[in-house]
Amino acid sequence: TLSGWTLDGTSWNFEEDTVKEDITLVATWSINTYTVAFDTAGGSSVNAYRGEYGTLVSEPTAPTKTAYIFAGWTYMGEAWSFDLDTIEEDMTLVAAWTPVSYTISYELNGGALSQPITSYTIEAPTFTLPTPTRKNYNFIGWTYEGQDTPVLTVTIEKGSMGNLHFVANFEIKRLEDNRVSFEAITARKTMIVRLEHPIKSCYNMVKNNRLHI
């Protein structure tokens, strides 16, 4: 910005000084200063910085934001370098963030998951845990911290945070869930006999029931 004129190093006063000979007035300039604001995009606040044109910006303390990792500053969509980029005008630097990846772990108690979900972020769409399977057992639900009663369907809402651990709960199938069919084939006929005697578990054997044709 033009700050005035000088003659032989002395400031010239246009209201008082007069011309007595050929003279050369020399312009004097003051460098502009600009404000650099910081938009933390939902993070903790950062004070604005004021600096001269063409100078580097003093890097502030990194802001913080729950469930996110600070990933630097941007200007006009491009990464800002505090070592290279200089001030050219009033500007606003915008914080970039990376969501924290949380883990999901399981205790399957002998069961299996075909496509387990093992991580998520605060930005992940709402999802439901898959259902585990176990031979000769029925899945009765998940238990987890703060939930001791098995829950058959667990939904993780968008915006959730924190590492999660789930325990699969099963109960052994009853005989009525696994009825046994025997087929006897003879030259003249086919006979199908269905055993429906309730027993404690599918692991107990009924030894004394025999099929006679």
Side-chain angles (χ1 to χ4, degrees):
T1 300
L2 179 67
S3 58
W5 297 90
T6 62
L7 175 64
D8 297 330
T10 301
S11 178
W12 180 268
N13 188 326
F14 285 91
E15 295 180 354
E16 298 179 358
D17 295 332
T18 60
V19 178
K20 298 178 180 179
E21 57 184 335
D22 291 340
I23 60 174
T24 298
L25 298 180
V26 179
T28 58
W29 301 89
S30 60
I31 192 166
N32 289 345
T33 59
Y34 296 101
T35 298
V36 179
F38 297 93
D39 179 357
T40 62
S44 57
S45 63
V46 173
N47 293 330
Y49 175 84
R50 191 155 182 86
E52 296 180 345
Y53 173 86
T55 62
L56 298 173
V57 179
S58 179
E59 185 172 4
T61 300
T64 59
K65 184 178 180 180
T66 301
Y68 288 86
I69 299 171
F70 179 62
W73 297 98
T74 64
Y75 179 64
M76 304 293 287
E78 300 292 334
W80 180 268
S81 171
F82 289 92
D83 295 323
L84 300 175
D85 296 326
T86 58
I87 301 171
E88 296 181 354
E89 57 186 342
D90 289 333
M91 58 182 61
T92 299
L93 301 185
V94 180
W97 299 96
T98 301
V100 173
S101 181
Y102 297 109
T103 61
I104 302 177
S105 57
Y106 304 91
E107 285 183 45
L108 296 177
N109 289 321
L113 282 173
S114 60
Q115 294 182 325
I117 301 171
T118 57
S119 65
Y120 75 104
T121 72
I122 193 173
E123 297 178 356
T126 297
F127 63 94
T128 299
L129 293 185
T131 300
T133 58
R134 183 180 177 186
K135 186 176 181 180
N136 295 323
Y137 283 79
N138 290 322
F139 175 66
I140 61 172
W142 297 103
T143 52
Y144 48 93
E145 185 177 356
Q147 180 64 46
D148 297 328
T149 302
V151 178
L152 196 59
T153 301
V154 174
T155 299
I156 310 300
E157 298 287 344
K158 182 177 181 179
S160 297
M161 297 178 288
N163 297 327
L164 301 173
H165 182 73
F166 297 98
V167 179
N169 295 267
F170 299 91
E171 67 177 5
I172 197 164
K173 289 183 178 179
R174 305 302 177 183
L175 184 60
E176 52 267 26
D177 298 324
N178 289 283
R179 299 176 187 271
V180 182
S181 295
F182 294 92
E183 184 175 295
I185 302 177
T186 67
R188 293 188 298 176
K189 64 180 179 179
T190 298
M191 178 181 294
I192 298 176
V193 178
R194 188 179 298 276
L195 301 183
E196 298 184 352
H197 301 291
I199 56 177
K200 185 176 182 181
S201 75
C202 65
Y203 289 106
N204 295 324
M205 300 297 296
V206 180
K207 297 181 179 180
N208 294 326
N209 287 0
R210 296 185 178 181
L211 175 63
H212 298 278
I213 299 177

